[in-house]
C-alpha cells in the first residue's frame, strides 16, 4: 500500500509544476499493479487486473471520444484515462467500481463547491484520481490488517 502511495506522488506533483505525467511512467505504474496482482493472487489475479485495466482504458476512451465528437465535450484527457487504467490494474475488477464512483463523486463535489463560491475552480483531476485509487486500495487491503483468529480446539 505504501508503495502505491509513493508511486502516485509524481502523478500529483508534476501537474502542479505545469508538466505532464509521461505515458511510460503511467504504463510502469500499471505494470507494477499487475505484478502486485500476480504476487498476491497468482495468474488468475494477474489476468483479472489486466482485463480490468484494458476494459477501463477502452470504455473510458470510447466514451470520451463519443462525447467529444457528438457534443464537443472534453471530459477526460488521455493521461487521465491512462491513470485510471493503471489504477484498475492495481485494484482489479471489483474495486475499480469504487474508484470510478469516487472519481465521479469527488469531481462533482469540487465543481459544485466552486460554483457555490462563485469561483472558476478547476478540480485537479490527477489529485482526485490518485485519491480515489488510494481510497479504493485501502478498502481492498484493509482486511489484511486484521489478525486471523486462531481456532482453539
Amino acid at each position: 500500500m505504501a508503495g502505491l502511495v509513493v508511486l502516485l506522488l509524481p502523478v500529483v506533483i508534476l501537474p502542479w509544476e505545469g508538466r505532464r505525467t509521461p505515458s511510460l511512467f503511467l504504463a510502469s505504474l500499471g505494470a507494477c499493479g499487475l505484478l502486485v496482482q500476480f504476487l498476491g493472487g497468482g495468474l488468475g489475479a494477474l489476468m483479472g487486473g489486466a482485463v480490468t485495466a484494458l476494459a477501463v482504458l477502452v470504455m473510458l476512451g470510447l466514451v470520451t471520444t463519443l462525447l467529444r465528437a457528438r457534443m464537443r465535450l472534453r471530459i477526460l484527457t488521455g493521461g487521465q484515462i491512462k491513470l485510471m487504467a493503471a489504477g484498475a490494474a492495481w485494484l482489479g475488477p471489483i474495486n475499480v467500481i469504487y474508484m470510478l464512483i469516487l472519481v465521479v463523486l469527488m469531481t462533482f463535489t469540487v465543481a459544485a463547491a466552486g460554483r457555490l463560491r462563485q469561483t472558476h475552480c478547476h478540480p485537479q483531476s490527477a489529485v482526485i484520481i490518485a485519491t480515489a485509487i488510494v481510497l479504493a486500495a485501502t478498502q481492498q487491503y484493509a482486511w489484511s490488517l486484521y489478525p486471523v483468529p486462531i481456532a482453539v480446539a
Side-chain angles (χ1 to χ4, degrees):
M1 181 67 183
L4 176 60
V5 172
V6 169
L7 287 172
L8 286 172
L9 284 176
V11 172
V12 173
I13 293 170
L14 286 174
W16 288 345
E17 295 177 348
R19 297 170 31 198
R20 293 179 346 152
T21 306
S23 294
L24 182 60
F25 180 80
L26 294 172
S28 300
L29 181 64
C32 288
L34 293 176
L35 177 64
V36 168
Q37 289 286 350
F38 177 71
L39 294 175
L43 191 57
L46 171 69
M47 294 305 293
V51 168
T52 303
L54 183 61
V56 166
L57 189 66
V58 169
M59 287 187 338
L60 290 178
L62 242 157
V63 167
T64 300
T65 302
L66 288 174
L67 286 174
R68 189 175 294 171
R70 302 240 184 226
M71 304 172 91
R72 301 192 196 279
L73 289 175
R74 186 171 178 215
I75 58 169
L76 293 172
T77 64
Q80 294 163 344
I81 294 169
K82 289 181 276 191
L83 176 57
M84 284 192 264
W90 278 85
L91 298 172
I94 301 298
N95 288 306
V96 75
I97 296 167
Y98 299 132
M99 177 193 74
L100 295 172
I101 290 170
L102 287 169
V103 167
V104 169
L105 289 175
M106 286 190 282
T107 301
F108 282 118
T109 302
V110 170
R115 280 193 169 242
L116 288 175
R117 294 175 48 200
Q118 297 195 2
T119 60
H120 294 290
C121 174
H122 297 289
Q124 289 289 335
S125 60
V127 175
I128 290 173
I129 295 168
T131 303
I133 292 169
V134 169
L135 288 173
T138 302
Q139 184 273 334
Q140 178 178 5
Y141 298 116
W143 294 109
S144 66
L145 300 176
Y146 295 102
V148 177
I150 299 173
V152 179

